[in-house]
Amino acid sequence: MRPLEERQPTLAVYKFASCDGCQLSLLDCEDELLAVAGAIQIANFPEASREVLPGPYDVVLVEGSITTPHDEERIHDIRRAAGVLITIGACATAGGIQALRNWKDVDDFVNIVYANPQYIETLETSTPISDHVDVDLELRGCPIDKGQLVEVIAAYLQGRKPTIPTYSVCVECKRRGTPCVMVKGTPCLGPVTQAGCNGLCPAYDRGCFGCFGPMESPNTAALADQWHALGIPANRISEAFRSFNAWSGAFREESDRWEERSPV
Amino acid sequence: MVRPVVELDREGIDRLIAQLGDSGFTVIAPTLSDGTISHGPISSSQDLPVGWTEVQDAGTYRLTRREDDALFGYAVGPHSWKRFLHPPEVVVWQGDGGMTPLDLAPPPRYAFFGVRPCEMAAISIQDKVFLDSGFSDDVYRSRRTDAFIVEVECYEPGGTCFCASMGTGPGAVEGADLVVSEILDDEHRFVVRAGSDAGEEVLAALGAAEAETDVIAAAEQVVADAAARMGRTLDTDGLRAALTAQAQSERWDEIAARCLTCANCTMACPTCFCAGIDDSLSLDGAVATRTRRWDSCFGLEFSYIHGGSLRTSAASRYRQWITHKLSTWWDQFGSSGCVGCGRCITWCPVGIDITAEATAMLAEARSEEAS
């Protein structure tokens, strides 16, 4: 490969266990997509083009979690052929909603779902990419925010640090001018969830679902106590932490803590 | 200087609002919005939260109906006026490849209608921060200089109000162009005082009758009654020294166990002024943009210097905030940084109460001093 100064950097997109929503965010960039395509060569992105150029690639976006023995091997091959490896979305960064299997016996699911379970080769757990290989940057969200994706690509091209905040969703709600839904009585995960969605759900009078995972210093215990004080039963509190980012540190621990309590 | 004082009825208030609009102001006032009383544009008194009030306590806020048609029968809402003067997100510079700054849109000329005394005090504090502390901030100045302020005295303090303790209400404080007092006895009327030359001009153009002394006395009585009905109180005697003396208190850890470090208090606070600067470049590299966004001392990035963040624990971040607000603000700006509006109490999702925490620290300091 020629040195970077003499050519456009190349981009590859890979998918593991996931719904495709995050890589679709790249196609969803619309206004920015042409600028992205003008600045970086999309070399391996089957969802966008049948043409696949050979690697290695300068920037690799990885979507999805590791759930099969085949995945476990494939991610190492991808890492070896990647300059910068960026994981995108809750599946790739936390194991995704499918990490709910981590609390159960996966064979039970396989036997219920598949007519011929003997052909299914799967792992006991769904785990984030960073459990298997070194990751250079994680972009959170279910799905990711396309603005953050463009910011990361721009920062890579310009050789600077991307601006990806790690504080709470509350900061975005306040900047946006959304009065706190929790103070008005609706349980919300915003105070323990990382920003990135621009406070989307509270702006529509819904509590935050925690799509972007734990913020930089999540006090999940204090928030959960307040939910309980608002009348939310223990099992519902446990379930709230156990969604797209169920397997990520603070959310996982808090969900376990409330599961062990009586359901009310 | 004796400024004119007039009496208006509700129709007179409508004429006042219309006159400000006709003079080119964007008139912003409390309105019903998002299940709260929040600021929005108005064109008549009908756009105000007529006959509404709210119930506020630590971590809780509920709108509720009044039994009258009061225009100002409520306390402060979730947002402060700093949204308009110190915007949450503003492009402060934008340039093309030649480093020629691109033109940025000029801000509107605002008339703030219904600024509470605590909020007027907060604006005066931000004036000091942004205009009078050795440098002048263009963003703030361009919005503040031509702003017209109609202050409204309080007669319905909220459950988390403690302006009487901070000397910032419920009666008017200095700084407004006009001061309105609403009287709700058998006759619904308003006393309006001019507080500046600009306010005097507006009153003159309005052509209203001078207020009688008994009406003025009635307005004063309403405020005096309100001072006795504050939802919270804060003993500030010795507080400034107590907070710095208790820097090593174990109580900070106890507060940190409850604190979410979510930054809601700082964003809701009408005097908190911190902001961060982000530089960005368009993908093609043609346009560079410098954006200023509200930031908070509760974030880790806020105290990040080479090698890491200075305040990694929640305890150190809460301590930084409350100590700055109630103690070191005096050293920096010559006043308290707290105006007793109660927003940080109401809008804390877990209801942490600045008056309770400060009182506890003060008690700790006093007992250590006594022993």
Side-chain angles (χ1 to χ4, degrees), chain A residues 29 31-40 149-158 160, chain B residues 280-287:
Chain A
C29 284
D31 293 345
E32 300 91 348
L33 190 59
L34 285 176
V36 171
I40 196 162
L149 182 61
V150 171
E151 163 64 11
V152 165
I153 293 171
Y156 170 80
L157 293 169
Q158 294 153 7
R160 63 177 171 84
Chain B
S280 60
L281 196 58
S282 60
L283 265 168
D284 60 5
V287 180

Short mmCIF file of all heavy atoms in Angstrom, two decimals, chain A residues 29 31-40 149-158 160, chain B residues 280-287:
data_model
loop_
_atom_site.label_atom_id
_atom_site.label_comp_id
_atom_site.label_asym_id
_atom_site.label_seq_id
_atom_site.Cartn_x
_atom_site.Cartn_y
_atom_site.Cartn_z
N CYS A 29 -26.38 9.28 6.66
CA CYS A 29 -25.75 10.59 6.82
C CYS A 29 -26.21 11.57 5.74
O CYS A 29 -26.11 12.78 5.92
CB CYS A 29 -24.24 10.48 6.80
SG CYS A 29 -23.57 9.85 8.36
N ASP A 31 -26.73 14.21 3.87
CA ASP A 31 -26.03 15.45 3.53
C ASP A 31 -24.51 15.30 3.60
O ASP A 31 -23.78 15.83 2.78
CB ASP A 31 -26.46 16.58 4.49
CG ASP A 31 -27.92 16.95 4.27
OD1 ASP A 31 -28.47 16.54 3.24
OD2 ASP A 31 -28.48 17.62 5.15
N GLU A 32 -24.07 14.57 4.63
CA GLU A 32 -22.63 14.45 4.85
C GLU A 32 -22.02 13.29 4.07
O GLU A 32 -20.80 13.21 3.94
CB GLU A 32 -22.31 14.26 6.34
CG GLU A 32 -22.78 15.40 7.24
CD GLU A 32 -24.18 15.19 7.79
OE1 GLU A 32 -24.87 14.28 7.30
OE2 GLU A 32 -24.59 15.95 8.68
N LEU A 33 -22.87 12.38 3.55
CA LEU A 33 -22.35 11.14 2.97
C LEU A 33 -21.42 11.41 1.78
O LEU A 33 -20.36 10.80 1.65
CB LEU A 33 -23.50 10.22 2.53
CG LEU A 33 -23.11 8.81 2.12
CD1 LEU A 33 -22.40 8.09 3.26
CD2 LEU A 33 -24.33 8.02 1.69
N LEU A 34 -21.81 12.37 0.95
CA LEU A 34 -20.98 12.67 -0.21
C LEU A 34 -19.64 13.24 0.23
O LEU A 34 -18.59 12.90 -0.34
CB LEU A 34 -21.70 13.65 -1.14
CG LEU A 34 -22.83 13.04 -1.97
CD1 LEU A 34 -23.54 14.11 -2.78
CD2 LEU A 34 -22.30 11.93 -2.88
N ALA A 35 -19.68 14.06 1.27
CA ALA A 35 -18.43 14.62 1.78
C ALA A 35 -17.56 13.52 2.36
O ALA A 35 -16.34 13.51 2.17
CB ALA A 35 -18.73 15.69 2.84
N VAL A 36 -18.20 12.56 3.06
CA VAL A 36 -17.45 11.43 3.61
C VAL A 36 -16.83 10.63 2.47
O VAL A 36 -15.63 10.32 2.47
CB VAL A 36 -18.38 10.51 4.47
CG1 VAL A 36 -17.64 9.23 4.85
CG2 VAL A 36 -18.85 11.24 5.72
N ALA A 37 -17.67 10.33 1.45
CA ALA A 37 -17.19 9.54 0.33
C ALA A 37 -16.10 10.27 -0.44
O ALA A 37 -15.22 9.65 -1.06
CB ALA A 37 -18.35 9.19 -0.60
N GLY A 38 -16.14 11.60 -0.40
CA GLY A 38 -15.12 12.38 -1.09
C GLY A 38 -13.79 12.39 -0.35
O GLY A 38 -12.74 12.60 -0.95
N ALA A 39 -13.86 12.18 0.95
CA ALA A 39 -12.66 12.32 1.76
C ALA A 39 -12.02 10.98 2.10
O ALA A 39 -10.85 10.90 2.44
CB ALA A 39 -13.00 13.07 3.06
N ILE A 40 -12.81 9.91 2.03
CA ILE A 40 -12.31 8.61 2.45
C ILE A 40 -12.83 7.57 1.46
O ILE A 40 -13.98 7.68 1.01
CB ILE A 40 -12.73 8.32 3.91
CG1 ILE A 40 -11.94 7.18 4.53
CG2 ILE A 40 -14.22 8.07 4.04
CD1 ILE A 40 -12.04 7.16 6.07
N LEU A 149 -20.65 9.95 14.46
CA LEU A 149 -19.89 9.15 13.49
C LEU A 149 -19.12 10.06 12.52
O LEU A 149 -17.93 9.86 12.27
CB LEU A 149 -20.83 8.22 12.72
CG LEU A 149 -20.19 7.28 11.71
CD1 LEU A 149 -19.19 6.35 12.39
CD2 LEU A 149 -21.24 6.48 10.95
N VAL A 150 -19.81 11.07 12.02
CA VAL A 150 -19.16 12.01 11.11
C VAL A 150 -18.03 12.75 11.83
O VAL A 150 -16.94 12.97 11.28
CB VAL A 150 -20.19 13.00 10.51
CG1 VAL A 150 -19.48 14.11 9.73
CG2 VAL A 150 -21.17 12.27 9.61
N GLU A 151 -18.28 13.10 13.10
CA GLU A 151 -17.26 13.78 13.89
C GLU A 151 -16.00 12.92 14.03
O GLU A 151 -14.88 13.41 13.89
CB GLU A 151 -17.84 14.13 15.28
CG GLU A 151 -16.83 14.48 16.37
CD GLU A 151 -16.02 15.74 16.11
OE1 GLU A 151 -16.37 16.50 15.17
OE2 GLU A 151 -15.03 15.97 16.83
N VAL A 152 -16.20 11.62 14.26
CA VAL A 152 -15.05 10.72 14.42
C VAL A 152 -14.28 10.60 13.11
O VAL A 152 -13.04 10.64 13.09
CB VAL A 152 -15.52 9.34 14.93
CG1 VAL A 152 -14.42 8.30 14.76
CG2 VAL A 152 -15.92 9.43 16.39
N ILE A 153 -15.01 10.47 12.00
CA ILE A 153 -14.33 10.36 10.70
C ILE A 153 -13.59 11.65 10.38
O ILE A 153 -12.43 11.64 9.96
CB ILE A 153 -15.35 10.00 9.59
CG1 ILE A 153 -15.89 8.58 9.82
CG2 ILE A 153 -14.71 10.10 8.21
CD1 ILE A 153 -17.04 8.18 8.92
N ALA A 154 -14.26 12.78 10.66
CA ALA A 154 -13.61 14.08 10.41
C ALA A 154 -12.36 14.22 11.27
O ALA A 154 -11.30 14.66 10.80
CB ALA A 154 -14.59 15.22 10.69
N ALA A 155 -12.47 13.84 12.54
CA ALA A 155 -11.33 13.97 13.44
C ALA A 155 -10.17 13.09 12.97
O ALA A 155 -9.01 13.50 13.02
CB ALA A 155 -11.74 13.59 14.87
N TYR A 156 -10.51 11.88 12.47
CA TYR A 156 -9.45 10.99 11.97
C TYR A 156 -8.75 11.65 10.79
O TYR A 156 -7.51 11.70 10.73
CB TYR A 156 -10.04 9.64 11.56
CG TYR A 156 -9.03 8.79 10.82
CD1 TYR A 156 -8.07 8.07 11.53
CD2 TYR A 156 -9.02 8.75 9.43
CE1 TYR A 156 -7.11 7.33 10.87
CE2 TYR A 156 -8.06 8.00 8.75
CZ TYR A 156 -7.11 7.30 9.47
OH TYR A 156 -6.16 6.57 8.80
N LEU A 157 -9.55 12.16 9.86
CA LEU A 157 -8.97 12.76 8.65
C LEU A 157 -8.13 13.99 8.98
O LEU A 157 -7.13 14.27 8.32
CB LEU A 157 -10.09 13.15 7.67
CG LEU A 157 -10.86 11.98 7.06
CD1 LEU A 157 -12.11 12.49 6.34
CD2 LEU A 157 -9.96 11.19 6.10
N GLN A 158 -8.53 14.72 10.02
CA GLN A 158 -7.83 15.96 10.35
C GLN A 158 -6.76 15.76 11.42
O GLN A 158 -6.13 16.72 11.87
CB GLN A 158 -8.87 17.00 10.80
CG GLN A 158 -9.81 17.40 9.65
CD GLN A 158 -11.18 17.87 10.12
OE1 GLN A 158 -11.42 18.03 11.31
NE2 GLN A 158 -12.09 18.10 9.17
N ARG A 160 -7.03 14.96 14.63
CA ARG A 160 -7.30 15.54 15.95
C ARG A 160 -8.16 14.59 16.77
O ARG A 160 -8.67 13.60 16.26
CB ARG A 160 -8.02 16.88 15.80
CG ARG A 160 -9.38 16.76 15.13
CD ARG A 160 -10.12 18.08 15.06
NE ARG A 160 -11.32 17.98 14.23
CZ ARG A 160 -12.49 17.55 14.68
NH1 ARG A 160 -12.63 17.22 15.95
NH2 ARG A 160 -13.54 17.45 13.89
N SER B 280 -14.27 22.85 15.59
CA SER B 280 -14.53 21.79 14.62
C SER B 280 -14.25 22.31 13.21
O SER B 280 -14.20 23.51 12.97
CB SER B 280 -15.98 21.31 14.73
OG SER B 280 -16.87 22.37 14.48
N LEU B 281 -14.06 21.36 12.32
CA LEU B 281 -13.72 21.68 10.95
C LEU B 281 -14.64 20.85 10.07
O LEU B 281 -14.86 19.68 10.36
CB LEU B 281 -12.25 21.27 10.73
CG LEU B 281 -11.47 21.80 9.54
CD1 LEU B 281 -11.43 23.32 9.54
CD2 LEU B 281 -10.05 21.24 9.58
N SER B 282 -15.20 21.45 9.04
CA SER B 282 -16.05 20.67 8.14
C SER B 282 -15.21 19.57 7.49
O SER B 282 -13.99 19.67 7.41
CB SER B 282 -16.67 21.58 7.08
OG SER B 282 -15.66 22.21 6.33
N LEU B 283 -15.88 18.52 7.02
CA LEU B 283 -15.17 17.36 6.47
C LEU B 283 -14.20 17.74 5.36
O LEU B 283 -13.12 17.17 5.23
CB LEU B 283 -16.19 16.35 5.93
CG LEU B 283 -16.60 15.23 6.89
CD1 LEU B 283 -17.79 14.50 6.33
CD2 LEU B 283 -15.45 14.28 7.14
N ASP B 284 -14.60 18.72 4.53
CA ASP B 284 -13.72 19.12 3.43
C ASP B 284 -12.67 20.14 3.87
O ASP B 284 -11.87 20.61 3.07
CB ASP B 284 -14.56 19.67 2.26
CG ASP B 284 -15.37 20.89 2.65
OD1 ASP B 284 -15.22 21.36 3.80
OD2 ASP B 284 -16.16 21.37 1.82
N GLY B 285 -12.71 20.49 5.17
CA GLY B 285 -11.70 21.40 5.69
C GLY B 285 -11.91 22.85 5.32
O GLY B 285 -11.05 23.70 5.58
N ALA B 286 -13.07 23.18 4.75
CA ALA B 286 -13.27 24.55 4.24
C ALA B 286 -13.72 25.54 5.32
O ALA B 286 -13.39 26.72 5.23
CB ALA B 286 -14.29 24.53 3.11
N VAL B 287 -14.46 25.08 6.30
CA VAL B 287 -15.01 26.01 7.30
C VAL B 287 -14.66 25.53 8.70
O VAL B 287 -14.93 24.39 9.07
CB VAL B 287 -16.55 26.13 7.16
CG1 VAL B 287 -17.11 27.10 8.20
CG2 VAL B 287 -16.93 26.58 5.76
#
